[in-house]
Amino acid sequence: MKEKIQAKLQELIEVYCRETGIQNLWREPIIKYGDVKSPHFDELKELVDSNHYHPLDYLTSATVVLSYFLPFSKSVMESNISGELISEPWALAYEHSNKMASYINDQLCKYINELGYDACPPRDAGMINDGYPRSRWSQRHVAYVCGHGTFGLNNMLISDKGCVGRYYSIITALPIEPDDVVTEERCIYKRNGGCKLCVDRCVANALTVDGFERLKCLDQCNVNEEIYPAAGACGKCVVGLPCSFK
């Protein structure tokens, strides 16, 4: 079953690129599955937001959350290393990742339904911004519970293919064996106090070894959004690092 879903996801990426006329900006995607019974999903109400959704809030028959990572190509990653503003290829990859994920979620849910199982995308998963922006369905934290990796000092999840890319998910009743949460630390700083390059690369000075100033980060994203309205991102703290590209 996992092979079928992986093949379908790859097919949908190829179809999207062909129909939109853009080059493939991504490497091969990674899919991980999180057990809806995992206590880690309950913990997100404390870690992220008290109103964070649980998978069963979306689908009472759910067995797993299917979390997929769209890793950006090396050329997209390298394009964003220099300068304080995001590069055009990075903005394009960010914009099309979001658009493509909407297409993928719709088509992948239909495919799973055709296989005879329930599936749905997370709804109302956008950012809440009442002075402290956060999500009611944090794709990064959900991806962690599903077994994609561990968080780096830059708050990004370090997957099997690095931390450059975008996470998305659907909730499903597929009879699939869930993946384990990664317990071996992947961040060099958290392992032995080394690296810290992501802190130096943060153009907003939002990152320190002691924490993360979310509003400073958001201000820099807003500056980029004035140039690339569909992006509203930055990404300087995830490129040019030992954990960027694997």
Side-chain angles (χ1 to χ4, degrees):
M1 182 66 77
K2 287 187 176 182
E3 291 77 11
K4 283 185 177 181
I5 301 298
Q6 180 74 35
K8 186 63 178 180
L9 176 56
Q10 188 63 54
E11 175 192 325
L12 291 172
I13 293 172
E14 293 169 1
V15 170
Y16 178 87
C17 291
R18 184 168 62 250
E19 292 185 350
T20 57
I22 68 163
Q23 68 179 94
N24 194 329
L25 303 168
W26 307 271
R27 293 177 286 149
E28 184 179 358
I30 305 173
I31 301 177
K32 297 290 184 179
Y33 298 87
D35 189 345
V36 298
K37 296 178 182 178
S38 169
H40 292 296
F41 279 119
D42 296 310
E43 294 167 1
L44 297 186
K45 290 186 179 294
E46 297 179 10
L47 292 173
V48 182
D49 185 80
S50 60
N51 293 313
H52 196 282
Y53 286 111
H54 189 280
L56 295 176
D57 292 333
Y58 293 117
L59 188 67
T60 57
S61 63
T63 54
V64 292
V65 174
L66 184 164
S67 171
Y68 60 97
F69 181 54
L70 303 176
F72 292 170
S73 69
K74 191 172 185 179
S75 62
V76 169
M77 185 274 289
E78 291 176 339
S79 76
N80 200 42
I81 292 177
S82 63
E84 292 191 357
L85 300 176
I86 59 172
S87 67
E88 184 174 355
W90 185 274
L92 186 67
Y94 199 96
E95 175 187 356
H96 276 287
S97 292
N98 290 337
K99 290 180 178 178
M100 184 171 70
S102 179
Y103 166 77
I104 287 174
N105 282 4
D106 180 58
Q107 296 300 314
L108 198 54
C109 285
K110 287 181 180 178
Y111 177 69
I112 293 172
N113 291 159
E114 290 170 359
L115 292 176
Y117 304 101
D118 294 335
C120 71
R123 299 175 300 278
D124 188 25
M127 293 297 292
I128 303 169
N129 192 353
D130 53 5
Y132 187 76
R134 63 226 184 266
S135 174
R136 294 190 67 187
W137 182 259
S138 171
Q139 298 286 7
R140 290 181 298 116
H141 287 84
V142 167
Y144 166 76
V145 179
C146 291
H148 275 285
T150 65
F151 285 98
L153 184 59
N154 57 6
N155 296 304
M156 298 296 112
L157 205 60
I158 304 173
S159 78
D160 295 341
K161 293 191 175 182
C163 62
V164 175
R166 299 282 288 159
Y167 290 96
Y168 303 95
S169 57
I170 63 173
I171 301 91
T172 176
L174 280 169
I176 280 183
E177 184 71 22
D179 294 289
D180 294 327
V181 171
V182 176
T183 56
E184 183 178 356
E185 185 57 65
R186 292 181 174 179
C187 174
I188 296 174
Y189 175 77
K190 292 183 177 180
R191 279 207 311 263
N192 57 32
C195 191
K196 295 187 293 186
L197 186 56
C198 60
V199 173
D200 298 331
R201 287 203 47 78
C202 177
V203 297
N205 296 315
L207 276 178
T208 70
V209 296
D210 298 316
F212 168 60
E213 295 188 51
R214 187 180 299 265
L215 295 182
K216 283 186 177 182
C217 177
L218 182 62
D219 286 344
Q220 182 63 34
C221 291
N222 290 337
V223 170
N224 288 320
E225 190 171 14
E226 293 179 4
I227 304 171
Y228 300 107
C234 178
K236 296 299 181 179
C237 70
V238 298
V239 297
L241 313 176
C243 61
S244 295
F245 194 92
K246 294 185 178 182

